[in-house]
Structure formats: C-alpha cells, structure tokens
Amino acid sequence: MTNTNDLQSLLKRIEKATARLEDLAAKRSETTKPDEPSKASTDGSVDVEDSKAALEYERAIKPLVEHFVSCSAKIGGLVSDQAQFVQQLYTAQHDFVRLAGTCKQPSPSQLPTLLGAQQSAIQSACALKDANRPSEYFDNLSAVAEGVAAFGWVAVAPTPVPFVNDMKESAEFYTNRVLRKWRESDPNQVEWVKALLSIFRELAVYVKQFHTTGLVWNPKGGDAEAAAKTLGNADSAPVSTPPAPQLPSATQDEPKASSAGGSTRGALFADLNRGGGVTTGLRKVDTTQMTHKNPSLRAAGTVSGDSTTAPAAPAAPAAPKAKAPRMELQKDKWVVENYDSENLSIEATATWQTVYMYNCTNTTLIISGKLNSVAIDNCQKCGIVFDSLVSQCEIVNSKRVQVQARETVPSILVDRTDGAHLFLSEAARDATQITTAKASEVNVSFPFETANPEDDDTVEQPVPEQLQTVVKNGKLVTTVLEHTG
C-alpha cells in the first residue's frame, strides 16, 4: 500500500511540473512571435534576413565558384573573361534565393524583372562564346555556355534536379573535348574542368535538399519587388566586365583592290578554272608562219596571219548552288540537313520518332527525350547528343563525328567513317554493342569510377583496326592484332 501511495504522489508532482513548463512555453511564444511576417520599414522597403536555404547556398556554392574563377585566371584570356559572368550569375542567384526565403512568391508578371540579372549574366556568357568561334579555347567557352543554363533551375518546376543534371551532361560534351585536347600538355585545363563540373554537381545536391520540386518561397513573407530594391541599395555596385570582343570583319585585313585589277584577276582565274577548255579559242598556226622553220620571218620580226578575231571564250560554268538548310518533322522522322556551323536542338515527343542528319558541317545537335533511332550520314566535324534510344545510332560516310549518349543506347554502328568519338554514360557503358565496318580512328570514352567521386575520370580507348586472320580446321579465325615489346 505504501508503494502505491508513493507512486501516486510522484505522478502528481510530475503533472504539476509539466503544467508549469507548458505555461512558461506559452508565455515565451507570445512574447517572441517567430512566425510574424517580414517587417516593412517606414519607406516601404522590406528587411531581408537570410534563411537556412540561402545560408546553405552560400556555403556550398560560393567556394566552388571562387575556385573556378581562380582556375580560369590561370588560363587567362577569354576563359577568364567568361568566368566573371559566372561570378555575376552566382551573386545574382544568391540574392534571388535570399528573396525567396523572406518573400511571397511573385506574380508571373513580376518574375522576369526579378530574374533579369541572372538572365543577363547567362546571355553574356553565351554571347562571348558565339563571338569567338575561331578561338583555341572555344570548347572551354562552349562548356560554360551550356552549363550555366543549370542556374535556370529557379524557374523550373516540379523537376529542377533533373534539369540541373541535364545541363551538366551538356557541358560534359565539351569538357571531354577539353580533356582530350589539353590533358597531356596543360594540367591547368584538367583542374579547370574539375572545378566547373563540381559547381553543377554540388548545385544538384543543394537543389535536391532544399528545393526538390521547385524554388521554395515564404508564404508569410513580404513583397518580393520591395525586397529586391532593398537588396539593390544594400549591395555594392556590380563589377563592370569588359565587353565581348568582336570578330574582325573580312574588309579590315584585306587591301582594297582597284576595280580594273579585280576584274582582270577574276577573268584570269575564271579562264584557269575552265581547265582544257581554255585553249578552245586559239587558232591553228600553219607551218609557213612558224619562225623556227622560216629564218626570214625571224629577221622581219612579224608574222602574217588572218585578221579575224578569235572567238570569245565561253563563260565558265557556275559553281553548284548550296542547298538550303532544313530541319523539319516528316511524319515520325526528323530531317536535319545542309547546316553549317550551327547549334540545333530537337525535343522528341514519341519513342517511335527517328532523326536523320545529313550533309552537315561543324554543327552540334542536341536531342531531348527518348526516341527510336538516330542516323548520321555524310557529315563532317559534327556533334550529336541524345538522351536515350530504343534501337540504334548509325554513323555512315562521315568524318570526325562525336556522339554522346546521356542515358542508354543498345547499339552503335559505325560504317565507312574516318574519325568517330563515342561518349557513353555510366548506364550505357556496360549495355551498348558497338559495330564497326570500314571505319578508322574510332574511340570510345566512358566513366571510370573510383572510391572518391571527385577523382572519377573518363577513360578513352580506341577500337582496334588491325585484325589477324588464320585458317583453322577449314575455317577462318580472326583475332585482334596486338603489338608487344
């Protein structure tokens, strides 16, 4: 009985202590009011306090951007200039994430104004790339121009993380070119590639943690436009960046020729281009008019001949007219042909659609979505990037072509092609069958995993070209010829 009384007394004491703690907690919540919306100042502006998401964005992304800018400065030139736009883009997006943590979601009409600084930085990075195509660092510029689109995740819902990863893979198409070109000669380029890709990799991790289905706004916050003005007054003026250099015009470096001299040279080259037809206007010389057979003619210094004028030479045939570029969907077949130095994109809407790329030069084609097959015919120096194929990718009669599979492709056929570089994703690495026929200089690149993700590298290996065939038991046995020693 004593134990029972003690237990009841203990329970009563615990209940009293709990009641007192609840009273204290209620009084404290009334005085602090943490859920109160952002306070407006007397001039109508809104005080912006960094949310947890904004602080984490700065902690995770800022050091990587600063490291990338430092690596770009080691290379210098256009690469360093473009890195300044990436720095501006980070600053603008950091301010935008701070707004989202303390403000209500703006209306669709307000959003373009708030995103203006980010859009300007992205457009400047792309314009610098487009204005410097002849540069030896064009692949670096293209990698950044493709990758910075990942910062557009703030306007993507409900799948911002896949969007960031897609832009990262687009950048990898060009960073692989950078590694292939500079890996052995310039270690700064290798460090630059790792720094660039680390930004997109960490950005995807951050978005997945804090903004899984889209940028999160504060439903109890203040007005975004007023807060943006507050940030604009508080922050320092943006650092001015040099304008993108312009390509010199063809008339700046070439001396101007006179109209008479130009027409004379034009006529001369037109006659030379006729080949054997250039002699059709000449008349046959009789033996009586040949000075080496008539000494008297050499003494006189003149040769008699007909006064008739030789017939005018026929006009040179006109050069074949270049066919107009075309990209259109014919039923279930995308036709892309006759493009030169262009960046194109296609979004597949059905898995039974196909893509046929023909007679293109220096052209990059990016295909989004899953489709049936891709065929590349009679193309030179072209790059093709696709997500996933149901059937196969076929490369025929082409030179120096690059193909990248972001996800899976069952089969790749390379036929009568000189120079083909195939980039396989981790998913396609062990599931893709590659067939070659009358092809040379075919290389395959695929990811190589290590224990540390930051040390992961891309391995490039050639497809064997030399085969050895012997007769065994009445059958031909062919093996790859390996050189040793």
Side-chain angles (χ1 to χ4, degrees), residues 380-393:
Q380 295 187 18
K381 300 180 182 179
C382 291
I384 297 89
V385 182
F386 56 82
D387 289 340
S388 181
L389 298 183
V390 176
S391 179
Q392 71 172 3
C393 175

Side-chain angles (χ1 to χ4, degrees), residues 307-323:
S307 59
T308 58
T309 304
K321 187 177 181 180
K323 295 183 179 180

Side-chain angles (χ1 to χ4, degrees), residues 422-436:
L422 312 178
F423 296 90
L424 302 180
S425 65
E426 183 177 357
R429 178 186 57 193
D430 301 325
T432 301
Q433 180 179 358
I434 301 174
T435 304
T436 60

Side-chain angles (χ1 to χ4, degrees), residues 51 57 105 113 147 241 248 277 447:
S51 62
Y57 182 88
Q105 184 172 0
T113 303
T241 56

Side-chain angles (χ1 to χ4, degrees), residues 217-410:
W217 295 84
N218 186 350
K220 298 183 180 180
D223 181 69
E225 283 190 335
K229 294 178 182 179
T230 302
L231 281 177
N233 294 331
D235 295 340
S236 60
V239 180
S240 61
T241 56
Q246 300 295 327
L247 286 176
S249 61
T251 58
Q252 290 177 351
D253 298 329
E254 297 181 359
K256 295 183 178 179
S258 64
S259 59
S263 60
T264 303
R265 284 194 295 271
L268 173 61
F269 285 112
D271 287 340
L272 293 176
N273 290 333
R274 290 164 54 200
V278 73
T279 61
T280 55
L282 302 178
R283 63 182 178 86
K284 185 176 181 181
V285 179
D286 188 75
T287 55
T288 59
Q289 298 175 331
M290 297 179 181
T291 56
H292 66 283
K293 292 186 178 181
N294 296 278
S296 59
L297 294 178
R298 290 199 299 269
T302 59
V303 179
S304 61
D306 298 336
S307 59
T308 58
T309 304
K321 187 177 181 180
K323 295 183 179 180
R326 179 179 60 144
M327 183 172 67
E328 61 182 7
L329 179 60
Q330 300 176 354
K331 294 185 179 180
D332 297 329
K333 180 180 181 181
W334 283 95
V335 177
V336 182
E337 59 184 11
N338 305 324
Y339 279 96
D340 188 2
S341 302
E342 295 287 346
N343 291 326
L344 308 174
S345 61
I346 291 176
E347 184 171 356
T349 57
T351 57
W352 54 81
Q353 290 182 347
T354 62
V355 173
Y356 179 69
M357 187 175 184
Y358 174 74
N359 194 32
C360 294
T361 305
N362 291 322
T363 297
T364 301
L365 175 62
I366 299 178
I367 306 171
S368 302
K370 187 175 184 179
L371 67 161
N372 186 274
S373 63
V374 172
I376 306 156
D377 187 5
N378 195 29
C379 294
Q380 295 187 18
K381 300 180 182 179
C382 291
I384 297 89
V385 182
F386 56 82
D387 289 340
S388 181
L389 298 183
V390 176
S391 179
Q392 71 172 3
C393 175
E394 183 178 3
I395 308 171
V396 183
N397 297 325
S398 298
K399 294 182 179 180
R400 298 177 65 183
V401 176
Q402 297 186 350
V403 175
Q404 178 181 358
R406 290 172 172 171
E407 297 177 10
T408 59
V409 51

Side-chain angles (χ1 to χ4, degrees), residues 168-187:
K168 170 179 169 290
E169 292 177 357
S170 297
E172 286 179 337
F173 178 81
Y174 293 99
T175 56
N176 288 334
R177 288 184 175 184
V178 174
L179 292 175
R180 188 173 69 255
K181 182 178 181 180
W182 300 99
R183 187 195 302 271
E184 303 297 333
S185 60
D186 190 355

